[in-house]
Structures are given as structure tokens and as C-alpha cells.
Amino acid sequence: PDEHAPAVLDRRGNLVWYTDHDPDLVQTQLEFRVGGTGLIVLEQDKSRTDASLSQLRFIDWELDQEEIISTWGAHHRFYQHEDGTIAYLSLDIREWEDPETGALWDVVGDTIVEISPEGEETIVFSAWDALTLGDVTEMDTTYYFGKVDWTHANSLYYTVEDGTYLVSMGKLNTLVEVDRATGEALDIINEETYTFSENSTPFNYQH
């Protein structure tokens, strides 16, 4: 396979399975399918210019069955719930007006989206509802080609016991704990809200 093909290796690093893929897409996560056979692969536009190309691929081991679900703006990570619901990180792009200069900016935040086994999508959380936008003139506009890369969420974890998601916001050096049932940000963890011990290192674009 080429350098980005979905593949499975054994414990010794030997290639035991792979499949083809669209060369215009990059795979950001691959997992064994919970409660089923085969794999789930999250793919997104390699050039980062077309959010509509993001998708989840459900691939059977025998390669004779494949399902693709379009997931606009999905990137980096997803999480499989036991009932078949899949949560994933997605872009939340909004136009923002600088109150001082009146300049308009396209700002890229992030959401947690859930998609049910029946295909129904629900927005659980948006960074816009919990975090404060800082000085956009100091933020990166190269990653999304002219749009402000504000939060850059890059990891998603779910704690079954607490019913909460933990989201890594790399650009903000921040972790956010989100209640799955309400979408409320229960905790915002960074150098401003917590005191880190003397011998530890605060978050620094964790990825």
C-alpha cells in the first residue's frame, strides 16, 4: 500500500491486511468496529480546503462490503459508543467581527457531533458556547488558508463512568470536559484555571 492506506500490522510489525483509499484524502484514525466486523476509518481532505469531503468508512474484512457516511468537517478523532453511536470532532466556522476595527474574520472553532446508527446527527457541544475568542490578529491563518485557526481540537476521549467527553484544544493549550447529556463545559483545564506543580509542564499545543 501507499503511505496513507488503511492497514493492519501484527505485533511484529508485519503487514497482514490493507485496502485502497482515495489519494486526495488522509486517514486520521482507524479502529476495529465495536460490535461488528472490520474497521472504521475517519478520512478528511488532505488539502484541508473542502470540509465536505470528510467521511467515516466502514470496511468489512473481506472487502466485499463497504459503507461510507458523509460527516461534514469531521477531523482528527472519533469515539465509538456501545450502542453504535459515533462521536467525532467537527469544524464550526463562524464569521466574527472585530469590535475595535470592524474587520470580519472567518474563525474556525470546533464541535462534538454524534451520529446515531440511524444516521441522525446531534451537535453535543461547540467551543463557541464555552470559550472566549482572543486576539485573532495573533492567531494562525495559514492552516486553514485565510481562516483563523482558533481552537484546533485534536483529540476526543469519553469517560463512561462520568458520562463526559474530554476534548483537547491544541491551539489554546486547553482541555475541556463536556457533559454528554447537556453539552455543558464542566471544566476548562489550562494554565489560567489550574496551578501546575513545580516539576510539571503546562499544556503546550498538546496533540
Side-chain angles (χ1 to χ4, degrees):
D2 67 30
E3 60 179 333
H4 292 298
V8 177
L9 308 179
D10 65 18
R11 293 179 182 274
R12 295 184 177 182
N14 299 310
L15 179 67
V16 296
W17 181 95
Y18 73 94
T19 185
D20 296 328
H21 81 293
D22 186 332
D24 293 327
L25 302 178
V26 62
Q27 294 73 45
T28 60
Q29 184 181 352
L30 178 153
E31 282 190 1
F32 297 128
R33 188 171 186 177
V34 173
T37 62
L39 301 172
I40 302 178
V41 183
L42 174 59
E43 299 180 319
Q44 65 186 85
D45 178 24
K46 186 183 295 185
S47 69
R48 304 187 303 276
T49 59
D50 190 348
S52 69
L53 296 181
S54 292
Q55 60 186 27
L56 288 169
R57 287 178 65 194
F58 299 79
I59 308 172
D60 183 81
W61 291 123
E62 302 300 325
L63 302 178
D64 56 1
Q65 295 183 20
E66 178 171 311
E67 179 185 4
I68 295 178
I69 298 177
S70 178
T71 50
W72 188 97
H75 63 93
H76 279 86
R77 298 289 292 174
F78 65 86
Y79 177 87
Q80 300 181 72
H81 290 278
E82 291 296 331
D83 66 354
T85 298
I86 297 177
Y88 58 88
L89 297 172
S90 183
L91 305 179
D92 188 354
I93 305 172
R94 304 189 187 186
E95 186 177 75
W96 180 81
E97 181 177 356
D98 189 320
E100 297 183 1
T101 66
L104 296 177
W105 299 81
D106 286 329
V107 179
V108 183
D110 285 287
T111 62
I112 301 172
V113 179
E114 289 186 352
I115 184 166
S116 71
E118 295 75 32
E120 180 179 352
E121 291 187 356
T122 302
I123 297 177
V124 176
F125 164 83
S126 173
W128 289 94
D129 299 327
L131 304 173
T132 301
L133 186 65
D135 184 357
V136 298
T137 62
E138 297 183 358
M139 297 182 188
D140 179 25
T141 58
T142 60
Y143 189 81
Y144 288 115
F145 304 98
K147 297 180 177 65
V148 175
D149 185 13
W150 171 34
T151 50
H152 200 103
N154 52 37
S155 190
L156 178 68
Y157 181 78
Y158 183 71
T159 304
V160 176
E161 296 79 7
D162 298 328
T164 60
Y165 290 108
L166 191 64
V167 188
S168 166
M169 304 286 188
K171 282 288 188 179
L172 301 182
N173 305 325
T174 294
L175 298 180
V176 181
E177 183 182 17
V178 178
D179 188 301
R180 183 189 181 193
T182 66
E184 178 185 358
L186 301 177
D187 204 359
I188 297 174
I189 307 168
N190 56 36
E191 196 172 7
E192 296 179 0
T193 59
Y194 278 78
T195 300
F196 289 78
S197 63
E198 182 177 350
N199 295 324
S200 65
T201 302
F203 300 129
N204 183 13
Y205 197 56
Q206 69 284 349
H207 204 282

